[in-house]
Amino acid sequence: MDDPKQRVDLTHLAFCTIDPNSAKDHDDAIYYDEKEEILYVAIADVSYFVKEGSALDKLAFKKSTSVYLPGKVLPMLPNELSEDMCSLKEGVDRYSYVFKMHLDLANFEVKKAELFEAIINSHKKFSYGRIDRVLDGKLDQHSKLEKGIFDYLVPLYEVTKSFRAHRLKKGYDFRTSENRLRLKNFLVESVEEEHSTASHQLVEECMLLANIQASKKVNSVGIFRIHEEPPFKAISSLVDDVNMLGIKVKLQSDVHDTITHIQKKANSSVLRDEVDELIIQAQTQAKYSSKNLGHFGLGFKSYSHFTSPIRRYSDLVLHRMLKSKETPSNIDEICEYISVREREVDKLVWDFEDRKYARWAKANIGAEI
């Protein structure tokens, strides 16, 4: 790597990555200066390697996203980039695009955000499970380096918890879980139910803050992640469906109050997960847009995808826009195409998993589980 630009050297800061055990591509790393109340979110500087209009760029646009299947990843970028040169690997200097966010802990907001190109070194790679144990007070055996990182992750978790509680006054907390298929010889060996844990929420809140700040730095015409408020008809049908489950609810003064009213009523019911699923089904579909229409589900006036340029083309485009201060002339075409591709990929994954379930069921006809 030989970048003629003067990058900020942050290799002395003990950044870390927190990902699933199986992760090979590391888009993001974090560091928290507790004394100064500054959060650093470093993102792989993919736009340095993938130039606009290049063959790599055209291929990335065509794919528009990485596809995560059980036991297999179809990456948006070649493995040499996604798993090596761009990935924020442990113990290796890497080019990154960094948000340095000065936090206002009293008002749960970012009071100042600086964005710049830098060199970082991820001092340690952690799994979600390991950090969950740390946040639960179970440090296990650890090195001095790890202890230094834990010393800022624990207070950072308390910060993100308070920010999250404040955020959920406008946004929503859905108690959904995901099934993860474990395959052996291409067949289902087991199914594990995954829930959002403390470590997931810590990382998520850090990424949300960076995404919000990124959306604020683009022009009025940019690349935004939007989620429009569901129409009255959908919310009215939702109320009817929930009442049919035996949970007595009614329309409130607005959509947000109606949804929180339904969730509050469902909290005392064994059907609360089913109710959350009904609420999700009543929502409009999130998509990409060149115009900022806000993100209803998250409760944000402005939101973009900035933190995953290795696996999402939208983030790569946003990085280029933030660096060049220019908007691509075909931005509407880009937003439309990657939104369509996102839905196609979702369907591909669902179809793949359905076939795996069907083969398992066929092989176990008559069996008692």
Side-chain angles (χ1 to χ4, degrees):
M1 297 188 295
D2 184 19
D3 189 355
K5 294 180 182 176
Q6 185 66 38
R7 288 178 177 263
V8 178
D9 187 349
L10 298 180
T11 55
H12 61 290
L13 298 182
F15 278 91
C16 70
T17 61
I18 307 173
D19 291 292
N21 253 326
S22 58
K24 294 180 180 178
D25 53 345
H26 303 285
D27 277 292
D28 55 88
I30 57 175
Y31 173 75
Y32 182 55
D33 183 335
E34 184 184 9
K35 183 180 178 182
E36 298 296 329
E37 298 175 351
I38 296 174
L39 171 64
Y40 293 81
V41 174
I43 305 301
D45 194 358
V46 176
S47 63
Y48 171 78
F49 296 94
V50 183
K51 302 303 182 186
E52 188 172 2
S54 65
L56 265 178
D57 181 47
K58 291 174 182 176
L59 178 62
F61 173 66
K62 186 176 180 181
K63 292 183 176 182
S64 85
T65 182
S66 294
V67 181
Y68 293 87
L69 299 168
K72 187 174 185 178
V73 179
L74 308 176
M76 182 180 76
L77 299 172
N79 288 334
E80 292 84 353
L81 288 176
S82 62
E83 296 181 12
D84 188 11
M85 296 173 71
C86 293
S87 185
L88 304 181
K89 297 170 67 174
E90 178 182 307
V92 183
D93 289 356
R94 283 290 182 256
Y95 285 174
S96 60
Y97 207 17
V98 177
F99 261 115
K100 179 181 179 181
M101 293 177 281
H102 302 254
L103 305 182
D104 181 346
L105 303 187
N107 294 301
F108 314 105
E109 62 184 18
V110 176
K111 55 187 176 185
K112 185 173 75 169
E114 304 169 53
L115 177 62
F116 49 84
E117 293 161 82
I119 301 175
I120 73 149
N121 186 301
S122 174
H123 289 202
K124 197 66 185 176
K125 175 181 74 172
F126 294 112
S127 68
Y128 284 122
R130 178 79 187 281
I131 299 306
D132 277 329
R133 292 193 295 275
V134 170
L135 298 179
D136 198 32
K138 301 168 185 173
L139 293 182
D140 302 335
Q141 189 173 357
H142 56 272
S143 65
K144 184 178 179 181
L145 168 62
E146 290 173 328
K147 177 62 166 56
I149 295 174
F150 299 158
D151 283 347
Y152 74 70
L153 285 181
V154 172
L156 175 60
Y157 175 57
E158 295 303 318
V159 170
T160 58
K161 267 205 307 188
S162 64
F163 273 56
R164 186 171 188 270
H166 181 73
R167 171 174 69 81
L168 291 178
K169 291 178 181 179
K170 291 185 178 179
Y172 304 96
D173 182 20
F174 297 116
R175 294 172 292 267
T176 55
S177 60
E178 291 187 32
N179 289 333
R180 296 292 181 195
L181 278 65
R182 304 297 176 192
L183 306 183
K184 186 175 182 179
N185 298 325
F186 307 105
L187 298 174
V188 175
E189 181 181 41
S190 64
V191 179
E192 298 174 7
E193 191 175 18
E194 262 189 20
H195 298 272
S196 177
T197 65
S199 61
H200 286 85
Q201 291 172 10
L202 184 157
V203 173
E204 180 184 30
E205 293 305 314
C206 292
M207 298 306 116
L208 288 175
L209 289 174
N211 285 335
I212 293 169
Q213 294 308 312
S215 73
K216 291 179 178 180
K217 289 187 178 292
V218 294
N219 299 323
S220 56
V221 176
I223 183 165
F224 299 95
R225 182 67 171 176
I226 66 167
H227 180 229
E228 297 175 88
E229 182 176 303
F232 173 80
K233 184 178 179 181
I235 296 301
S236 182
S237 296
L238 169 64
V239 169
D240 292 341
D241 291 342
V242 174
N243 276 307
M244 286 177 65
L245 292 176
I247 301 171
K248 300 304 178 186
V249 297
K250 55 186 178 181
L251 285 168
Q252 303 297 303
S253 58
D254 59 30
V255 173
H256 179 271
D257 286 350
T258 300
I259 291 175
T260 51
H261 162 70
I262 291 171
Q263 286 191 309
K264 186 176 181 180
K265 287 280 191 176
N267 272 338
S268 57
S269 165
V270 295
L271 298 173
R272 65 180 192 177
D273 289 345
E274 287 79 359
V275 170
D276 268 354
E277 189 59 40
L278 288 175
I279 295 171
I280 291 171
Q281 291 172 8
Q283 304 291 312
T284 58
Q285 192 160 28
K287 61 183 180 181
Y288 296 101
S289 172
S290 62
K291 298 176 180 62
N292 180 21
L293 300 177
H295 199 294
F296 173 77
L298 292 174
F300 298 150
K301 293 180 180 178
S302 180
Y303 191 67
S304 290
H305 276 165
F306 172 83
T307 55
S308 296
I310 290 177
R311 63 182 180 88
R312 286 191 305 231
Y313 192 76
S314 60
D315 306 49
L316 175 56
V317 172
L318 180 58
H319 281 216
R320 290 174 179 153
M321 292 173 61
L322 291 168
K323 288 182 181 181
S324 68
K325 310 298 183 187
E326 295 178 359
T327 303
S329 58
N330 63 335
I331 189 63
D332 288 322
E333 176 192 330
I334 292 172
C335 291
E336 174 65 24
Y337 178 76
I338 62 178
S339 294
V340 170
R341 275 291 295 154
E342 180 181 40
R343 293 191 286 273
E344 290 175 345
V345 166
D346 284 343
K347 186 176 185 304
L348 182 154
V349 174
W350 296 333
D351 288 349
F352 180 90
E353 292 180 345
D354 285 347
R355 289 197 299 274
K356 295 300 179 186
Y357 283 125
R359 289 195 179 102
W360 178 90
K362 183 179 180 182
N364 288 274
I365 290 175
E368 292 187 14
I369 307 300

